Amino acid sequence: MGIALAALALTACAPTTAPAPAGTAAGSEGAEESVAVSVGMITSITGPLAAYGASYQQGFEAGLDYATEGTGEIDGIDLTIEWIDDQGNPDTAVTQAKDVIGQGFQIIGGSAASGVSLAVAEQAAQNNTLFLSGPAAADAITGVNDQTFRSGRQTLQDVATAATFLDSVEGSNIVVFAQDNAFGQGNVASVQAVLGGEGATVTPILVAEDATEFTPFAQQISAASPDLVFVAWAGATTGAMWEALSQQQVLESTTVVTGLADRASYQAYGPGSADIQFLNHYFPGATDTDAAQAMDAFLEEAGNEADLFTVDGFVGAQMLVHAITEGRGDVDAMIGALEGWTFESVKGELTIRAEDHALIQPMFQVRLVDDGGTWMPELIEIVDAEAVAPPVAAE
């Protein structure tokens, strides 16, 4: 399926059954029961996170193919999946969620933006609708309510992965270098909670979003003599920021860790790329599992390539198929089917923690290497899922 349209439907009907209203049986006595299940995939098809939405949708289609063994069908289910463009806007997404819930949709999925996900999660709880959030990384999504699950990682898992670059967290001196906005402040809070909680001294250095000169901040980092610098940055000034850190020998003098984003970012770190340590959720070729091979083959046939959030779509489809197969459209039963479920996916073994619906998953240590003048990711180490599992979210 393409992503040019704001909404499109994919209907997968079991060939031996006829469509039936949601939650009702079809056919004569003794015939196989058919249940109509409708899914609204509300995600960023256009807007600032359109690239993430595209990767997610491509991964979802690959995951649906994998989880249904190439049929796109679930036995006894009349399945409709409708893709809806939220444009990355929470208000738009809430309106769309209310609309599909009003139509009787039992499941919503897809959020790429954290603000969207949290707003849709509220609607899911109010209307007892299963919600499978996508790439949105906010920690608050985990444990927000009984109806909400996630198919991606969360910020606390990023921070815990950063800690694996230190021999010991206790007693270490960590600088968080970030923009002074919600994204940067959120990362500071997570580092303080996770690494500060393990005995590290955490010093935030926050920079105004409109800053264009970063040398004084690089000098401030050097003066702090940190054991580790955790960089959380996004936007047009990324290249200039990394250039300043390189020119001031920050990259050479200490361990600098940041998240490796999507393919488009690989060339953005400048000449000091080889001196940066990267935590990573996923990059193409990170694993060679059966699911990874299947995903890559499906994407290649469709003329696409795996990227950072392709796996979130793949996992989302696996979760969807399992929930519907076991719960047959009944929301409480589908929730029960997902809680505590362990399954094999692209990254390896994943577990949906029953207590708060956190997705326990491996993460990756990565470096960038110069491949004929192009920077490409190379795996250093797979980080054990339990080693970076977030604390159980408080109710």
Side-chain angles (χ1 to χ4, degrees):
M1 294 184 293
I3 61 166
L5 300 179
L8 54 94
L10 166 71
T11 303
C13 301
T16 58
T17 61
T24 65
S28 60
E29 184 177 352
E32 182 180 3
E33 185 179 85
S34 177
V35 178
V37 177
S38 296
V39 183
M41 300 300 293
I42 301 173
T43 194
S44 295
I45 296 175
T46 63
L49 298 182
Y52 294 168
S55 294
Y56 174 85
Q57 183 173 1
Q58 292 162 10
F60 183 92
E61 292 166 0
L64 184 64
D65 183 80
Y66 179 77
T68 61
E69 299 181 344
T71 68
E73 300 174 356
I74 303 173
D75 285 347
I77 300 295
D78 174 25
L79 176 63
T80 299
I81 301 174
E82 183 175 337
W83 290 89
I84 305 167
D85 183 13
D86 64 24
Q87 302 173 340
N89 186 313
D91 292 336
T92 300
V94 166
T95 299
Q96 293 164 338
K98 289 179 177 178
D99 179 52
V100 297
I101 291 169
Q103 295 180 50
F105 282 44
Q106 302 99 318
I107 305 171
I108 297 173
S111 298
S114 292
V116 169
S117 179
L118 289 166
V120 173
E122 184 177 351
Q123 294 302 311
Q126 290 175 2
N127 297 279
N128 197 31
T129 301
L130 178 63
F131 176 40
L132 307 177
S133 184
D139 292 313
I141 297 166
T142 292
V144 66
N145 55 53
D146 291 341
Q147 291 78 13
T148 298
F149 294 78
R150 68 192 317 152
S151 64
R153 98 299 187 207
Q154 63 187 87
T155 300
L156 284 167
Q157 288 164 312
D158 286 346
V159 173
T161 304
T164 65
F165 288 95
L166 288 169
D167 291 332
S168 175
V169 174
E170 185 176 2
S172 62
N173 179 18
I174 297 174
V175 166
V176 182
F177 186 48
Q179 292 154 305
D180 193 4
N181 55 21
F183 172 71
Q185 293 161 9
N187 275 273
V188 169
S190 294
V191 173
Q192 289 175 329
V194 176
L195 306 187
E198 294 183 21
T201 299
V202 179
T203 303
I205 297 178
L206 296 175
V207 181
E209 281 190 278
D210 59 359
T212 57
E213 173 54 53
F214 302 105
T215 298
F217 299 103
Q219 292 170 340
Q220 190 177 346
I221 293 171
S222 294
S225 301
D227 299 302
L228 182 144
V229 180
F230 183 87
V231 179
W233 210 274
T237 59
T238 300
M241 179 274 296
W242 285 114
E243 183 178 359
L245 295 191
S246 179
Q247 289 176 347
Q248 296 300 313
Q249 284 80 51
V250 173
L251 303 183
E252 296 178 12
S253 63
T254 189
T255 300
V256 178
V257 179
T258 194
L260 182 65
D262 57 1
R263 286 176 178 268
S265 74
Y266 295 169
Q267 313 312 313
Y269 303 95
S273 296
D275 295 319
I276 304 169
Q277 307 297 316
F278 294 93
L279 64 93
N280 179 248
H281 169 46
Y282 183 76
F283 69 91
T287 62
D288 191 35
T289 62
D290 290 344
Q293 293 177 29
M295 181 183 74
D296 289 341
F298 184 94
L299 293 171
E300 183 178 0
E301 186 173 349
N304 299 315
E305 295 180 306
D307 211 335
L308 178 66
F309 295 126
T310 314
V311 290
D312 295 5
F314 193 98
V315 171
Q318 289 182 287
M319 293 169 64
L320 178 78
V321 171
H322 180 72
I324 295 173
T325 300
E326 299 297 321
R328 299 183 62 77
D330 178 272
V331 173
D332 292 339
M334 292 190 293
I335 291 171
L338 289 173
E339 288 182 337
W341 184 42
T342 296
F343 58 105
E344 293 294 328
S345 193
V346 175
K347 294 175 69 173
E349 185 178 276
L350 311 183
T351 297
I352 300 170
R353 191 163 60 194
E355 293 90 340
D356 60 0
H357 303 173
L359 186 63
I360 309 304
Q361 59 192 294
M363 298 285 284
F364 305 101
Q365 290 186 356
V366 181
R367 65 171 66 92
L368 287 176
V369 296
D370 188 345
D371 184 9
T374 301
W375 293 103
M376 296 298 293
E378 180 180 87
L379 180 67
I380 299 174
E381 184 177 338
I382 297 175
V383 182
D384 181 73
E386 290 296 338
V388 292
V392 175
E395 295 185 1

